[in-house]
Amino acid sequence: LMRFADAVNLGSDLARWKDENGEIKLLADIDLTGMTWVPIGNAAIDRDGVLQNEDVKTFAGVFDGCGHKIKGLTYTPETSALVKGSSLGFFGVLYGATVKNLTVEVGRIYAECPNIILNIGGIAGAAHNGSLISNCTVTVVNEQSMIASKQVEAGTTANYIGGIVGAMNGSSVEGCTNNCPIKVNNTVNTNNGANSYHVGGIFGFGMGTLSAKNCVNNAEIGGKIGEEYWGDSPRIGGLIGTVHNDQLITIENCTNNGKVLSTIITTSDKSSRAAGIIAYIGGENSLIKGCVNNADICFIREDATGAEYKGYVAGFVGQTN
């Protein structure tokens, strides 16, 4: 598996790993506990699909997990190694790829983020150009497992974090389940929703023609680590943080069972969007059909300075244009 990841990232021939149908298949569970992981397709990409490091490749094939599990995945890169559009997960960037029938057990995926765009997800950091993630599950090693990000450098840069995939552009997620808590701390980000954190149990940010169907989030989004709140996000949803454009966006037969706890934020408009399905819709052509939220949606205002904060809080959609 490590050699396969290296081959993808170097743009090498993948023929030795393909079956007669051209698919890469996982034939057994693989335990990555204690291993130094580098995401498959370790490219960097912005939300518009522009690759930031042409020398590192995306994954563009078909990966069939065949019902098997990747165990104990931990990926915590050094802050100095991160670049604009770095994509963190089992896969980095999917570009016209299909990933199916796979379970990823997360120990911890965590980044201390400078003032740059990051894409973070359990299955993939980013999915672009017609990619499909199907019948995949993200689960946990133990109670300390999480997908998390902390912004450590003041600024106004967006970050996209999801249980399944961080950012999607023109791609789809179907039949996927997230059981891994997502924690974010961006108290040093001084801007509002569009240029801050976008967080969802399934995906954090989406644009282009895309869909999420028959997906479930069971994990808490936001909340605490110990006594410290880790839900600082202007756009935080049980399923999706933000969908943002006028292409067709379909969210169908999806369910959120995970509590959403958005906490105080330091932004220019001092506002947060928290919701059970989607925190923010920034387009005119979106359909939410057959979806259910079963969890508490909370916005906590705690600020020792006495500053006034406002929140958009809803069972389904926090704010829409």
Side-chain angles (χ1 to χ4, degrees), residues 228-274:
E228 185 180 14
Y229 283 110
W230 277 62
D232 301 299
S233 175
R235 297 179 181 177
I236 183 168
L239 294 173
I240 300 162
T242 296
V243 291
H244 190 70
N245 70 352
D246 295 328
Q247 304 297 317
L248 178 61
I249 295 168
T250 303
I251 314 301
E252 187 171 355
N253 298 331
C254 294
T255 301
N256 177 53
N257 297 317
K259 183 177 181 179
V260 177
L261 181 57
S262 178
T263 51
I264 208 63
I265 53 174
T266 306
T267 67
S268 58
D269 69 353
K270 297 182 174 61
S271 66
S272 180
R273 291 86 163 167

Side-chain angles (χ1 to χ4, degrees), residues 6-17:
D6 287 343
V8 173
N9 294 337
L10 293 170
S12 302
D13 186 2
L14 303 181
R16 61 172 291 193
W17 288 282

Side-chain angles (χ1 to χ4, degrees), residues 1-2 4-5 24-35 37-40 63-75 89-91 99-109 122-123 136-141 145:
L1 179 64
M2 303 290 276
F4 168 68
I24 295 104
K25 291 186 175 179
L26 191 63
L27 301 181
D29 293 354
I30 294 180
D31 193 344
L32 294 179
T33 303
M35 301 291 288
W37 183 244
V38 176
I40 302 167
F63 188 99
D64 187 350
C66 297
H68 293 296
K69 179 185 289 188
I70 300 297
K71 299 179 180 180
L73 173 67
T74 295
Y75 184 49
F90 178 63
F91 289 90
V99 178
K100 57 186 179 181
N101 308 321
L102 176 68
T103 295
V104 173
E105 179 190 76
V106 171
R108 179 166 295 192
I109 300 174
I123 300 296
C136 291
T137 298
V138 174
T139 186
V140 298
V141 172
S145 297

